[in-house]
Amino acid sequence: MPSIYTNDLIDSVAMLESWTQFAGGHSNSVFIAAVGFEQRASHCYEKWSAENRGSVAFLIEYPVNQADNAPQLERFKELSAANDITIEWITYETATFAGILTSKLASQRAGRDIVLDISSMASFVLYPSLYTICRYASDATLYIYYTEAAKYFPEQKDWDEFFEKLVNMDLVERAKHFDDIHFLSVGVDRVYEVPYFSGVNPDNLPVRTIVFPNFAFERIQYMIDYCCQNCSASRSRMEWFIGVPPRHANNNWRHNALWRMYSEPKPKHEVSTLDYKEILMSLHTIWQDHYLHESLVIATAGSKGQHLGIFFFLQMHPEVSLVVSEPSKFTAKKYSEGVGVSWQLSLGKVSEIVSALQGWNDIHYNWERGTI
């Protein structure tokens, strides 16, 4: 007789490693990163390039904030020249980016280790990067690098000044105040459902939106509007995932401020901005509560750790769709400053990660010899 067992979430999550302090040590690897304006953008690259002399780096240039990005671009070039690193540049465009990265990866030796530095990687770059690696570099071993900033904007004094004015305004004045403040970014260039995370809703169930907000109020509102207009979602069916910064960071006030910025929406879920496994499990709990009677769409402008957790959740649940946005430009002088704690994540062989996540609820039969 066979013994039967079913995988569950714990089995899949157990395969995923936790963040450890950055130490590098991944020689003979390919490096992938975005060249943004933040000082932390090139921090891990300095050590990696020294440990991987003569290797190759795929560096992604943003079409926005080019003057702001120039100092970090020069820093990447200096480190590459000093360590004989070949840079292969990719200029980000929504329609072509994944295809170009796929061809770059195909040019490398099969099974070569990949280092993905997400420190300066916007959501609309991070998701196609991870997707492409998982789809077209399945025989590689994947490492994630991430450096926090020393200081994030808005600072508490900026927020207190903003909110003090807000409480005495009527609805029209509030709308203008939000439009004028430009926390983190200015304008919204486009909002879209990510093509390879478009989800399915064959039974035409009501749609519930899961929102991962940040202080870019305009971007979040545009994404919610998009979900309502294009995904049959409703503002009455929403779950808000409000980030809780790591304990070592002096940023805990940001959680309450972010919640108040969106008028204290409910249901509210307090989730880490760094612990991607906590985010994955929290999303799975929401899915368990709703999958029989509602379809889910995720609208996110959250943290890097949150994006990582969302990506792995989507590997488990391809029926869930993902909506992202691209700003007209970022507010470079009021985004972040300095270099904080650096982390690394050893995820193992890509094919094994994907198999474990996609097979989270597989049924297994084990036939024992000598049984009837």
Side-chain angles (χ1 to χ4, degrees):
M1 296 291 291
S3 56
I4 303 173
Y5 70 93
T6 305
N7 283 356
D8 60 22
L9 178 65
I10 301 302
D11 295 320
S12 297
V13 173
M15 286 196 64
L16 300 172
E17 297 293 328
S18 298
W19 291 107
T20 59
Q21 291 281 325
F22 175 68
H26 305 120
S27 57
N28 195 31
S29 56
V30 175
F31 191 91
I32 304 173
V35 182
F37 49 78
E38 295 177 274
Q39 292 167 284
R40 56 178 169 159
S42 60
H43 180 70
C44 291
Y45 189 69
E46 182 171 357
K47 185 171 181 61
W48 177 88
S49 59
E51 294 176 341
N52 286 268
R53 292 185 61 85
S55 190
V56 63
F58 303 146
L59 298 182
I60 303 154
E61 291 186 272
Y62 290 107
V64 298
N65 295 91
Q66 292 184 349
D68 300 311
N69 299 338
Q72 282 299 309
L73 186 144
E74 290 304 315
R75 180 59 176 157
F76 273 100
K77 287 181 177 179
E78 290 170 5
L79 292 168
S80 299
N83 294 289
D84 196 27
I85 302 295
T86 299
I87 299 177
E88 297 196 19
W89 295 100
I90 304 174
T91 299
Y92 174 80
E93 291 183 10
T94 310
T96 61
F97 172 68
I100 294 172
L101 181 57
T102 298
S103 65
K104 299 285 188 188
L105 290 172
S107 69
Q108 299 302 303
R109 173 178 53 80
R112 191 171 185 183
D113 293 353
I114 295 174
V115 171
L116 181 69
D117 189 335
I118 63 174
S119 304
S120 192
M121 199 168 274
S123 60
F124 52 86
V125 176
L126 194 153
Y127 287 105
S129 297
L130 281 169
Y131 171 81
T132 302
I133 291 168
C134 289
R135 181 75 184 272
Y136 299 106
S138 60
D139 52 356
T141 297
L142 179 61
Y143 303 95
I144 307 287
Y145 289 176
Y146 173 56
T147 299
E148 298 178 46
K151 180 194 294 185
Y152 292 95
F153 290 92
E155 294 185 88
Q156 188 166 5
K157 61 181 177 60
D158 298 326
W159 167 257
D160 290 343
E161 180 181 335
F162 167 81
F163 197 78
E164 184 178 350
K165 294 179 181 177
L166 191 69
V167 294
N168 296 317
M169 292 179 176
D170 61 27
L171 289 177
V172 175
E173 290 172 326
R174 281 187 172 215
K176 186 178 186 307
H177 192 43
F178 275 116
D179 286 343
D180 292 343
I181 194 65
H182 298 315
F183 285 142
L184 304 183
S185 64
V186 177
V188 180
D189 205 33
R190 59 177 59 89
V191 180
Y192 54 93
E193 198 171 21
V194 179
Y196 28 84
F197 296 122
S198 56
V200 292
N201 185 12
D203 297 324
N204 200 28
L205 296 173
V207 176
R208 180 168 292 269
T209 306
I210 301 173
V211 184
F212 284 80
N214 66 5
F215 285 94
F217 185 85
E218 185 179 23
R219 285 180 71 190
I220 299 302
Q221 296 304 324
Y222 267 74
M223 285 192 284
I224 292 173
D225 286 344
Y226 178 93
C227 292
C228 293
Q229 295 167 12
N230 298 277
C231 305
S232 301
S234 167
R235 285 182 177 265
S236 64
R237 295 175 181 266
M238 298 176 65
E239 307 280 334
W240 289 80
F241 277 58
I242 308 297
V244 179
R247 290 182 181 178
H248 68 266
N250 188 27
N251 285 314
N252 290 327
W253 66 270
R254 297 173 70 86
H255 169 267
N256 285 333
L258 191 59
W259 188 45
R260 294 175 75 186
M261 186 177 203
Y262 293 93
S263 302
E264 301 183 0
K266 295 179 181 178
K268 179 187 77 166
H269 307 273
E270 298 182 0
V271 291
S272 172
T273 57
L274 181 63
D275 186 349
Y276 74 101
K277 290 194 284 186
E278 176 189 313
I279 295 148
L280 167 60
M281 295 179 74
S282 297
L283 283 169
H284 188 74
T285 298
I286 297 295
W287 177 86
Q288 285 181 312
D289 291 342
H290 296 277
Y291 79 99
L292 289 175
H293 51 88
E294 289 179 316
S295 181
L296 299 179
V297 57
I298 299 173
T300 180
S303 68
K304 307 297 189 296
Q306 289 173 345
H307 294 319
L308 201 56
I310 292 168
F311 177 83
F312 288 137
F313 171 78
L314 292 170
Q315 292 295 306
M316 296 170 57
H317 297 288
E319 71 278 12
V320 178
S321 57
L322 176 68
V323 170
V324 299
S325 61
E326 299 180 19
S328 302
K329 66 177 181 178
F330 293 99
T331 311
K333 294 187 182 344
K334 288 285 187 177
Y335 201 90
S336 78
E337 283 184 3
V339 175
V341 180
S342 293
W343 305 93
Q344 66 186 44
L345 193 59
S346 300
L347 288 173
K349 196 166 186 177
V350 171
S351 60
E352 294 176 1
I353 305 165
V354 173
S355 177
L357 292 168
Q358 294 180 349
W360 71 272
N361 62 346
D362 284 353
I363 298 175
H364 297 267
Y365 298 87
N366 184 24
W367 291 86
E368 297 180 10
R369 298 184 63 180
T371 62
I372 298 176

